[in-house]
Amino acid sequence: MRVLGIETSCDETGVAVYDSERGLLAHRLYSQIELHADYGGVVPELASRDHVRKLAPLLREVMEASGTAPGDIDGIAYTSGPGLAGALMVGAVMGRTLAYAWNVPSIGVHHMEGHLLAPLLEENRPEFPFVALLVSGGHTQLLQVDGIGRYTLLGESVDDAAGEAFDKVAKMLGLDYPGGPHVARLALQGNPEAFALPRPMIDRPGLDFSFSGLKTAVRLVIENTPDYPEKTVDICASFEAAIVDTLVRKCERALKQTGMKRLVMAGGVSANVRLRAMLQDLAKRRRAQVFYPSAAFCTDNGAMIAFAGCQRLLAGQGENLAVSVRPRWPMVELPAV
């Protein structure tokens, strides 16, 4: 089965063609970073309009790069949630329209399921079951994954997600949008032990996360450090160390709780160098394996949507032509494959 994937959940337009026998044939991604930079964050109306502007050209480019004609497409997958309602509608309308025009089935894909399954695009792909750490801009979750659509929520952030905390700390430090990657780059130059920052919720049972208090602790460090601009790299390093340490400890607790030996990490924050290194160390200590997508598939992308949609279309799942999106959508509500 050959599936066209469309991703428009937020500020990146992604299109890809995935073949169930040949793998990923082509993918393209357009980022709106420059568009939103002057505003210090994503402006939903501008994001939606830019998806309208870029989606059709990217679609033509991917079809040509993959050597695919409309008659070669067997199904269409698009992100239907969670995300910005207007941005989601752009991809949903395009996906539904093409499905009708080309007379093929279509399916709305859960954005976070796309991230969760992205490591399966790699040659070294995990087998089910496994524990998954999903760390993207607005989500931090630990899941037990027994198969596609067979998800048990083990823990999640009760306030700010890890990615949100990165971005908010970046804003405190006056770093450019998007702030998270800037914090991570500066952290490589700093001393992670320069400032004693808390590791939230590691002293209590359970697998939930909370990063709002850590964000407040960073703000207090900034306010009480007169020469803090000179200490920016140390603040970034100390903050990143606190986030990573917290995530890794909760991952270890999840592996112990489930008895599993495979850990999957996905989402935008999964590209973080320190986090990858510490999870590799955890895997060695526990004689386990850790898997994550290549850097190109950590961020939002059409390839993960094409792959996730392909698995569900192969299982006979699909939807009618009514266009609907779900800006909020718990992943545990998804049907099993």
Side-chain angles (χ1 to χ4, degrees):
M1 172 175 277
R2 187 169 294 192
V3 175
L4 172 70
I6 299 171
E7 157 61 24
T8 62
S9 65
C10 190
D11 60 344
E12 285 158 324
T13 311
V15 182
V17 173
Y18 177 83
D19 189 287
S20 58
E21 295 183 358
R22 297 173 55 193
L24 183 64
L25 300 184
H27 70 99
R28 296 292 186 273
L29 184 69
Y30 173 77
S31 174
Q32 300 177 1
I33 287 177
E34 292 185 6
L35 176 66
H36 301 290
D38 289 342
Y39 303 95
V42 177
V43 181
E45 178 65 20
L46 295 181
S48 302
R49 292 180 182 182
D50 212 45
H51 286 309
V52 172
R53 183 173 66 91
K54 296 300 295 186
L55 188 52
L58 284 177
L59 172 63
R60 287 193 291 268
E61 188 177 337
V62 165
M63 294 287 280
E64 182 178 349
S66 63
T68 300
D72 300 324
I73 293 293
D74 301 304
I76 297 175
Y78 59 88
T79 305
S80 58
L84 302 175
L88 291 167
M89 282 297 293
V90 176
V93 170
M94 175 67 85
R96 286 281 199 252
T97 301
L98 291 176
Y100 178 78
W102 295 347
N103 193 30
V104 296
S106 62
I107 190 166
V109 173
H110 193 292
H111 178 75
M112 294 309 296
E113 180 172 66
H115 276 303
L116 172 66
L117 300 180
L120 275 67
L121 287 165
E122 307 296 331
E123 285 189 20
N124 181 28
R125 51 187 291 174
E127 296 180 359
F128 299 109
F130 52 77
V131 168
L133 171 66
L134 295 183
V135 274
S136 69
H139 299 81
T140 300
Q141 296 178 325
L142 275 168
L143 299 158
Q144 177 174 320
V145 180
D146 294 306
I148 297 176
R150 299 169 59 196
Y151 310 131
T152 302
L153 181 64
L154 302 175
E156 62 184 342
S157 180
V158 298
D159 42 54
D160 288 346
E164 289 174 319
F166 266 98
D167 289 338
K168 290 178 179 179
V169 165
K171 201 163 189 176
M172 292 179 198
L173 293 169
L175 302 178
D176 291 336
Y177 169 86
H182 290 298
V183 171
R185 282 192 290 271
L186 290 174
L188 295 173
Q189 308 168 36
N191 176 10
E193 299 179 358
F195 297 96
L197 293 174
R199 273 57 172 165
M201 296 183 72
I202 62 171
D203 58 348
R204 65 183 73 177
L207 293 169
D208 285 336
F209 303 90
S210 171
F211 295 112
S212 63
L214 175 58
K215 177 189 63 181
T216 301
V218 173
R219 178 174 56 80
L220 292 174
V221 165
I222 293 172
E223 291 175 353
N224 292 294
T225 306
D227 60 340
Y228 94 83
E230 301 174 11
K231 302 288 187 181
T232 295
V233 294
D234 289 337
I235 293 173
C236 289
S238 298
F239 164 74
E240 182 188 67
I243 287 266
V244 169
D245 192 25
T246 302
L247 292 172
V248 171
R249 292 197 199 189
K250 289 300 179 79
C251 284
E252 182 167 20
R253 191 177 295 179
L255 290 174
K256 289 180 180 178
Q257 179 176 308
T258 61
M260 291 190 182
K261 293 294 185 180
R262 285 185 289 270
L263 174 67
V264 164
M265 174 178 64
V269 183
S270 67
N272 184 276
V273 174
R274 183 182 182 90
L275 180 56
R276 290 191 176 206
M278 300 253 326
L279 286 179
Q280 289 285 7
D281 290 342
L282 169 63
K284 289 179 182 178
R285 291 199 312 272
R286 296 198 58 80
R287 296 182 180 178
Q289 295 174 288
V290 62
F291 302 86
Y292 37 74
S294 57
F297 302 133
C298 289
T299 186
D300 297 349
N301 63 88
M304 68 184 193
I305 302 304
F307 177 80
C310 183
Q311 309 314 304
R312 291 190 173 275
L313 288 169
L314 283 171
Q317 297 181 14
E319 297 170 353
N320 58 37
L321 291 175
V323 177
S324 63
V325 296
R326 297 186 63 178
R328 296 184 181 276
W329 188 6
M331 199 163 71
V332 293
E333 294 181 2
L334 292 172
V337 168

